[in-house]
Amino acid sequence: MTRIDRYIFRQLALALLAVTFGLAALVWLVQSLRFIELVLERGLSLGVFIGLTGLLLPNFIAVILPITTFVVVLFVYVRLGLDRELVVLRAAGLSQWRLARPAMVLALLSAGIVLWLNLHLMPISQAAFRKWQFEIRNEVAAVLLQEGVFSSVGDDLTVYVRERGPDGALRGILVHDSRERGAPVTILAREGRIVNTPQGPRVSLLDGVRQQIERSGPPGSPPRLAVLSFSQNSVDLARATRSEETRTRDSRERSLSELLHPDPAEGLPPRLITRFRAEAHQRLASPVTALSFALIAMASALTGQFRRHGGGLRMTVGIGAMVALLAIGLMVNNLAARDSAAIPLVWVHAVAPGLIAAWWLAGAPGLPRRAPPRVSAAAAAPAPPPAPPRAGGRPRGGRGPIDGGARLAVTFPLTLSAYVARRFASMVLALLVALTLLVALFDLIELQRRASTRPDVTFGMVAEIAGLRLPFVMLQILPFAVLLGGIVAFWRLTRSSELIVARAAGVSAWGFLAGPVAVALLLGVTGTVAISPLSSMLFARAERLDQAYLRNTGGMTALAGGRLWLRQADRELDPRGVAILSGRPVVAGSARGGGGAAALAAAGTPPDTAQFRLSEVSVWRLSAEDRPLARIEAPAARLEPGRWVLDQAVVFGPDRVPAPPRRLELPTELTPSRIEDSFASPDTLGFWSLPAFIEILEQAGFSAIRHRLHFHGLLALPLLCAVMALVAAGFSMRPARRGGVARMIAGGVTAGFALFVLDRITAELGEAGTLPVVFAAWAPAAAGLLLALGLLLHLEDG
């Protein structure tokens, strides 16, 4: 390489490293947030969380690297053109291919890295990840019991805790153990505590009863209730382990030879073999795609006439072509996973765009040349000199220094703040769209992978689910987009010396930061009051489609073991009493519940007027002091307006003698829609509907911690966005002549990541009841505000 090649290659390589690892870290954060519960709810260490989610990085980088190669090549060459460096190099006699040589070397390196990741590192990391995840989900026994929540430990153990004291004491405990098939046991205790033992965690129970229904009599005879009172007892929370043979290896866990030549002893169905072959060809074609994307970037940045205002049109065309190729690639991969005849399209998609871009970069030989436009003599004539100033120093047609100076002194800070705000807003919005589409791309790839095993699910269905999640993803990305957009906008203003000149003119940092902070607040308020209702509505529909197409569970009220657990007020036996009800939801058109899926009696019936049906119903009626007052067993129950109707119900009183079966009614304030919504994610509820829904949940006896936390998180979103803007300013407005700009920008990104992670961790701690809800929602914004104020005060006042 010559010195010029090394100069360009160094800029390309550094930018590629920064952008690739930055975007990979962002995608890692968003995709790995669901694993934080393993740390908090399963008692795992932070090292286990980092190690588990770190195994996902090779897959992320393999997908991101072709995209970041395109982005870096395009923007580095465009910047070289804006700085007139390409003009000088062309004037020195360098051809297009000579200028493109450093980018080609970088593209070959990217292709080699992608090939190594696809063929070697990704199968190993995916196999380790799946095995580790399987062991955690099926062998780890620790669980964090949340207050007022029915916690499932495996598929056959349900634990409810009414209150969790600050010292770890548990009060109002219900344990339903169905690990012994056909003989479920229910334990009710006033107090308890979690005790860690070498064999796993156990719940030590005090002052309670053990109930078990016995059906040993002749058919049709009423069941018997066996009750054992105890002063101290314990329940093992360890999960039953499952053998490794129950886990089927995914296509991403297999090597290239295993994909192309699967072992016949496995007895794989033909559709899986087709999917494996398509996966093998996609791994081999992915490095070629990186080369094609780099050639498209070079064709966009190096061709065309030079314009001193930049080649915005060429950049837009190049980005549009790359986005279109990504969409086409997803459709081609989906077709190839379903039909082996479509596998050649994978290679056509990888090779053809690069060939076309290389042909265009070579000057498009074969196309007719268009003559350059003629320039008239009038247009070529030099412009007339400006009119001389009038007597007194006032120029013609302009304002004099007498009346204009004072007005300029007043309007200059406002104009500057508006200018900075405009640059800030455009960069934030651009990055918000780009990052949202990038995260949505990974979501679409994951959905497509899950749908490849279901022939009836088309690519259009998968794309619809991913599209409905876009507002939700945008709301999650918004604070980080404000941070990155602010860093880029302020760095560019500092690099062009605009902010330095403004500060030399006497404008403080607080003056021109008012506009960007106002823009960030406006974006946060828009996200809270406008995007949140839209996001909740579309996200709820996406979850329903996901349940129907990919999970086949029929609804969002399914719990472990297919049983639904509810808690409500019961004032008939005790003015402050409660009732805990459990049963299997009945699928419409079926005589019994199936798969734990809840369904309404008739399709198209309004949710609050339709009947909600349960089978194998058990009801525990408790006093305010958690004493069992009665137990009810019924083969079926239905929810009618204002009441539960239990057919053939058998009531066991304090004397444990069963009453004759009869029709029984229990008053209730629940409705079918409230039951289903109580198990739905708070993300499916908009900002405006959350306060009323929280009140309904608490009145019905449900825990509203998650919904209250989500509501306060939306309230804190505007402040968090403003804090991110201030953090970006504090890290990126340092003058470039002092050096260390890259280190300062990296510090800003790191601080943003830390705040982002802190926000999610405190949210999980608040949901678990470890932290107060208000503190968990507002602490990250407050911590970021203190950090930003400290940086800006040091920058402004030294």
Side-chain angles (χ1 to χ4, degrees):
M1 279 190 178
T2 64
R3 182 175 297 180
I4 294 175
D5 292 336
R6 290 196 299 270
Y7 169 73
I8 299 177
F9 180 79
R10 183 169 61 252
Q11 297 189 55
L12 290 170
L14 292 177
L16 182 64
L17 288 175
V19 174
T20 300
F21 283 103
L23 292 181
L26 174 63
V27 176
W28 172 77
L29 274 178
V30 176
Q31 294 291 321
S32 63
L33 287 177
R34 62 182 183 271
F35 296 105
I36 292 181
E37 65 175 339
L38 295 177
V39 178
L40 301 175
E41 296 184 4
R42 307 285 175 85
L44 302 180
S45 64
L46 184 61
V48 173
F49 166 75
I50 295 176
L52 180 66
T53 55
L55 293 173
L56 298 173
L57 283 176
N59 182 43
F60 294 159
I61 295 176
V63 176
I64 286 176
L65 195 54
I67 301 174
T68 54
T69 302
F70 166 84
V71 172
V72 166
V73 171
L74 178 64
F75 282 92
V76 167
Y77 275 92
V78 167
R79 187 185 60 79
L80 291 175
L82 293 177
D83 292 343
R84 310 298 193 270
E85 295 178 80
L86 292 182
V87 177
V88 174
L89 293 175
R90 285 193 179 102
L94 273 68
S95 64
Q96 297 282 59
W97 288 107
R98 183 70 174 75
L99 293 173
R101 189 163 66 181
M104 289 300 301
V105 174
L106 183 77
L108 289 173
L109 288 176
S110 298
I113 293 173
V114 171
L115 185 63
W116 176 70
L117 290 173
N118 286 341
L119 300 187
H120 179 70
L121 189 58
M122 189 177 71
I124 296 175
S125 64
Q126 284 293 320
F129 171 78
R130 297 293 177 185
K131 182 179 179 180
W132 203 351
Q133 184 185 38
F134 181 85
E135 292 174 353
I136 289 174
R137 287 181 174 176
N138 297 285
E139 296 180 8
V140 175
V143 66
L144 180 60
L145 301 180
Q146 300 181 23
E147 183 179 297
V149 176
F150 291 95
S151 302
S152 299
V153 185
D155 294 333
D156 41 25
L157 190 65
T158 302
V159 183
Y160 175 83
V161 176
R162 176 180 57 82
E163 181 182 353
R164 187 183 181 94
D167 57 348
L170 310 177
R171 298 179 181 86
I173 305 170
L174 179 144
V175 179
H176 186 76
D177 188 352
S178 57
R179 285 179 284 191
E180 184 178 348
R181 300 302 176 188
V185 175
T186 304
I187 301 176
L188 303 167
R190 294 185 62 188
E191 295 183 1
R193 186 180 295 272
I194 296 179
V195 179
N196 292 319
T197 66
Q199 292 75 28
R202 303 180 68 91
V203 176
S204 177
L205 304 174
L206 303 174
D207 191 11
V209 295
R210 180 183 185 274
Q211 298 181 353
Q212 185 173 14
I213 296 294
E214 298 178 350
R215 304 180 186 273
S216 58
S221 61
R224 295 175 52 199
L225 178 64
V227 179
L228 175 65
S229 300
F230 61 85
S231 58
Q232 185 173 357
N233 195 359
S234 65
V235 177
D236 184 12
L237 294 182
R239 292 180 178 222
T241 59
R242 290 187 287 181
S243 61
E244 177 65 21
E245 286 74 18
T246 60
R247 188 179 72 89
T248 302
R249 289 197 300 159
D250 188 75
S251 61
R252 292 181 293 181
E253 302 177 59
R254 299 173 181 262
S255 64
L256 185 65
S257 60
E258 290 178 314
L259 292 174
L260 292 174
H261 308 288
D263 187 0
E266 294 187 59
L268 299 175
R271 63 180 166 77
L272 273 184
I273 296 177
T274 302
R275 177 186 170 189
F276 288 172
R277 289 175 180 170
E279 174 73 18
H281 285 274
Q282 290 165 18
R283 290 187 191 180
L284 293 173
S286 182
V288 183
T289 303
L291 289 173
S292 296
F293 282 2
L295 286 169
I296 293 172
M298 286 183 280
S300 302
L302 294 177
T303 59
Q305 297 179 353
F306 169 74
R307 296 183 180 181
R308 58 190 181 90
H309 292 296
L313 179 60
R314 295 198 305 271
M315 290 180 56
T316 304
V317 172
I319 294 174
M322 194 267 294
V323 172
L325 286 175
L326 287 175
I328 295 173
L330 291 173
M331 291 187 288
V332 167
N333 293 339
N334 182 68
L335 289 174
R338 298 172 183 273
D339 189 358
S340 297
I343 289 179
L345 295 178
V346 174
W347 289 98
V348 172
H349 169 265
V351 175
L355 294 177
I356 296 174
W359 170 75
W360 189 264
L361 188 63
L367 286 182
R369 301 294 180 182
R370 189 174 61 178
R374 291 187 175 183
V375 181
S376 63
R390 293 182 179 179
R394 180 178 298 180
R396 293 181 181 271
R399 296 184 180 272
I402 299 177
D403 59 347
R407 181 172 300 185
L408 179 63
V410 175
T411 60
F412 177 70
L414 296 178
T415 304
L416 176 64
S417 182
Y419 171 73
V420 175
R422 186 167 63 250
R423 296 283 297 271
F424 174 84
S426 61
M427 189 57 64
V428 168
L429 292 177
L431 281 176
L432 178 62
V433 173
L435 295 176
T436 300
L437 293 178
L438 180 64
V439 175
L441 173 65
F442 278 89
D443 192 19
L444 184 60
I445 292 173
E446 179 64 21
L447 291 172
Q448 183 180 344
R449 186 189 64 82
R450 290 165 52 195
S452 61
T453 60
R454 303 180 183 274
D456 55 327
V457 179
T458 64
F459 179 77
M461 297 176 180
V462 174
E464 182 182 3
I465 296 175
L468 291 173
R469 291 179 177 176
L470 277 178
F472 172 75
V473 174
M474 182 178 293
L475 205 60
Q476 302 297 312
I477 294 294
L478 180 57
F480 200 78
V482 171
L483 174 70
L484 284 183
I487 288 177
V488 175
F490 291 130
W491 175 75
R492 292 180 65 181
L493 291 171
T494 303
R495 182 174 177 270
S496 61
S497 301
E498 293 174 269
L499 293 186
I500 298 175
V501 172
R503 296 180 68 185
V507 180
S508 67
W510 308 106
F512 55 75
L513 283 180
V517 170
V519 170
L521 280 172
L522 181 61
L523 289 174
V525 171
T526 303
T528 297
V529 303
I531 299 180
S532 168
L534 177 65
S535 167
S536 62
M537 179 180 64
L538 298 182
F539 186 74
R541 175 168 173 78
E543 287 295 291
R544 288 194 294 269
L545 293 178
D546 193 357
Q547 295 277 353
Y549 295 156
L550 302 180
R551 301 180 193 170
N552 289 337
T553 56
M556 291 184 288
T557 60
L559 295 179
R563 296 188 68 86
L564 180 68
W565 292 84
L566 302 170
R567 182 178 183 273
Q568 68 171 51
D570 185 9
R571 301 178 178 86
E572 185 176 353
L573 302 180
D574 189 318
R576 296 185 299 146
V578 297
I580 295 178
L581 185 144
S582 175
R584 297 185 180 275
V586 178
V587 178
S590 174
R592 293 176 59 84
L600 298 179
T605 308
D608 289 334
T609 59
Q611 290 185 347
F612 190 90
R613 298 181 180 274
L614 299 173
S615 65
E616 303 177 19
V617 180
S618 299
V619 182
W620 294 268
R621 309 182 76 174
L622 309 175
S623 69
E625 293 78 21
D626 303 309
R627 294 287 187 185
L629 301 177
R631 176 166 176 172
I632 304 172
E633 293 289 321
R638 62 184 183 274
L639 179 59
E640 297 182 352
R643 60 182 180 177
W644 285 102
V645 179
L646 289 78
D647 298 322
Q648 299 295 314
V650 178
V651 180
F652 297 90
D655 54 2
R656 288 175 283 173
V657 177
R662 62 187 176 92
R663 183 177 183 270
L664 184 65
E665 296 183 359
L666 285 178
T668 184
E669 297 177 355
L670 299 176
T671 63
S673 61
R674 293 182 189 176
I675 292 175
E676 187 159 359
D677 288 341
S678 66
F679 293 96
S681 169
D683 297 313
T684 60
L685 297 172
F687 173 75
W688 302 107
S689 58
L690 274 170
F693 187 76
I694 290 172
E695 183 178 357
I696 291 173
L697 279 183
E698 292 178 342
Q699 290 179 354
F702 290 101
S703 172
I705 292 180
R706 292 194 307 154
H707 300 80
R708 190 178 295 279
L709 182 65
H710 182 58
F711 178 70
H712 280 278
L714 290 175
L715 284 178
L717 181 61
L719 177 60
L720 184 61
C721 290
V723 165
M724 289 296 190
L726 292 174
V727 170
F731 275 100
S732 58
M733 289 198 312
R734 180 177 178 176
R737 60 182 176 83
R738 296 184 182 178
V741 176
R743 185 168 60 252
M744 294 296 291
I745 293 177
V749 175
T750 303
F753 274 122
L755 291 176
F756 197 76
V757 174
L758 178 63
D759 179 62
R760 299 307 172 186
I761 292 179
T762 54
E764 292 291 337
L765 291 174
E767 184 176 329
T770 307
L771 292 178
V773 170
V774 176
F775 180 83
W778 292 88
L785 181 60
L786 295 176
L787 172 65
L789 291 178
L791 288 171
L792 290 174
L793 288 173
H794 175 73
L795 181 68
E796 182 68 13
D797 302 326

